[in-house]
Amino acid sequence: MTMNAKGSEDVERAAELEALVPATCLFHSFSDPSRLVILQHLQLGEHRVVDLTEHLGLSQSTVSKHLARLKDAGLVSSRPEGRASVYSLQHSEALTELLAAAEKLLALTGDAVQLCPVHGRRAAARSK
């Protein structure tokens, strides 16, 4: 293989990886259980931060932090209502479809994800 061919392959590989960055960022938005439960709760309709803290048993600062992350990712939106902000899903139908597909994939893989040494339950416990 010539140096030009190798260089061309490296450029193609880098372009492939770069094209996957948005998907990686999207999936990272789902990587925290608190964010997932917030998204699931917002599937029921609009909520204020105070409603979410009450329903989910999380602190106000935790809910606000996760909502900001989800908003930055374009998954939720907010609108002012008095002194509070009301949050809702940005793309409700697509999110519902994605979460349903994830549940289907989890059912197909069984315990494999939870047993994964890198991303499974034991890895999560070690990182705490």
Side-chain angles (χ1 to χ4, degrees):
M1 182 180 306
T2 67
M3 194 60 155
N4 283 342
K6 175 135 175 61
S8 177
E9 286 179 14
D10 289 345
V11 169
E12 287 179 32
R13 191 171 303 116
E16 287 175 8
L17 291 174
E18 185 64 28
L20 292 173
V21 168
T24 302
C25 294
L26 174 67
F27 283 108
H28 186 69
S29 298
F30 299 118
S31 68
D32 187 285
S34 294
R35 286 195 290 274
L36 279 177
V37 77
I38 288 169
L39 289 171
Q40 287 177 331
H41 215 73
L42 288 175
Q43 285 180 303
L44 303 172
E46 294 183 325
H47 285 78
R48 298 174 301 155
V49 173
V50 68
D51 300 326
L52 291 168
T53 59
E54 184 179 304
H55 291 303
L56 307 174
L58 300 171
S59 71
Q60 184 272 328
S61 61
T62 298
V63 171
S64 294
K65 176 184 77 170
H66 288 306
L67 284 168
R69 196 115 195 239
L70 294 168
K71 190 173 182 180
D72 289 344
L75 297 172
V76 301
S77 60
S78 65
R79 64 176 174 76
E81 187 175 278
R83 292 180 21 198
S85 292
V86 178
Y87 289 85
S88 60
L89 294 178
Q90 187 76 335
H91 308 284
S92 181
E93 188 175 319
L95 181 65
T96 299
E97 290 172 8
L98 179 64
L99 293 176
E103 287 180 17
K104 182 177 180 180
L105 186 58
L106 286 169
L108 292 170
T109 61
D111 290 333
V113 172
Q114 291 187 59
L115 298 175
C116 172
V118 177
H119 300 292
R121 286 185 179 266
R122 286 189 183 143
R126 284 193 305 268
S127 68
K128 288 185 178 183

